[in-house]
Amino acid sequence: MSKSPTPATLAGIDHHYVDVNGTTLHYVAAGTEGSPILLVHGFPESWWAFHKVIPLLAATHRVFAVDLRGFGDSAPATAGFTSATAAEDLHELIAALGVGPVHLAAQDISGGTAFQLATTHPDDILSFTATEMGLAGFGLEGFADVTHGGSWHIGVPVSPGIAEMLFTGREEQVLGSWAFPAMTAVIGSITNEDIAEFARTYSREGGWLGSIGLYQSMLGEGDALKALAESNPITVPALAIGGFGGPFTVGTLSQVVAGDVESVQLDGVGHYVALEAPTALADAILAFTGRVDAT
């Protein structure tokens, strides 16, 4: 397997760069009509996590999939990057695009970013979809506790210099031999080409700094997120979608949303829902956003 020298792309999408909040974000856009959907990836991913889902959504919606600061082809992050900064990046992105409010669909470690966007800038959001997501302050920190089944990898980015020392030059091994296989249930759903595309961006100088910032945030922002949830819960319609983390996702979302939370559980699907079950994910998002748009 060899790293691709150029970004992967799809027919029917456009690549864009925009300067916001002191950084440059890369995003792709597809679709020409319908309410806007903003897709936000997790770890160890980029916008490419949604490459199977975007065409399905774009038939009836304007779709935007962003590389968070420090990920994909967005500008590298710097020391001190946090999920709160990423939330402001997205707020300014939505303003720059002129498409708000959007249906926000985020997953995995982008949960803290998406939650802060929804609670500090509620006018940006039409609905909130969480896929395989947890939040600091609501149990996510437990995944760093290896004595009770947590994952070793969380300790790597939160330890200064360790991620770069261990992962640099080994991106394809880390992603292709551990990260994706360890949390995937649908065999063959993540290809060598997918791994090469993700590895391409993590291989650049400073390629791990986005992940480092979000994981360091996760272990320090619990009190702040709990305070936000108490003073400013999510008030837009909310949907929890899960593979093997479905019960944890809906349990988390139920604690930070003022109203009811819809839930879709995808049996036989692992953590990387957008890659493992794109049609089922798109169907769930389209049914949910359709109900929201109708009201």
Side-chain angles (χ1 to χ4, degrees), residues 26-95:
H26 168 256
Y27 68 92
V28 300
T32 59
E33 59 184 21
S35 56
I37 299 174
L38 177 61
L39 302 172
V40 186
H41 63 84
F43 172 84
E45 299 171 322
S46 66
W47 79 270
W48 186 252
F50 300 106
H51 74 278
K52 301 175 187 177
V53 176
I54 291 170
L56 303 176
L57 300 179
T60 52
H61 290 267
R62 289 168 290 160
V63 182
F64 306 90
V66 64
D67 285 333
L68 292 171
R69 183 191 301 220
F71 291 83
D73 290 298
S74 289
T78 56
F81 171 63
T82 67
S83 63
T85 304
E88 288 301 310
D89 291 349
L90 295 185
H91 168 61
E92 292 196 15
L93 171 65
I94 292 168

Side-chain angles (χ1 to χ4, degrees), residues 28 30-31 44 65 93 104 106 153 165 201 235 239 246 278:
V28 300
L93 171 65
L104 179 65
H153 84 278
M165 180 176 68
T201 59
T235 56
L239 170 67

Side-chain angles (χ1 to χ4, degrees), residues 253-275:
L253 209 56
S254 296
Q255 298 177 75
V256 302
V257 171
D260 294 333
V261 175
E262 296 187 36
S263 176
V264 173
Q265 175 66 47
L266 303 177
D267 294 335
V269 177
H271 182 58
Y272 300 107
V273 175
L275 291 164

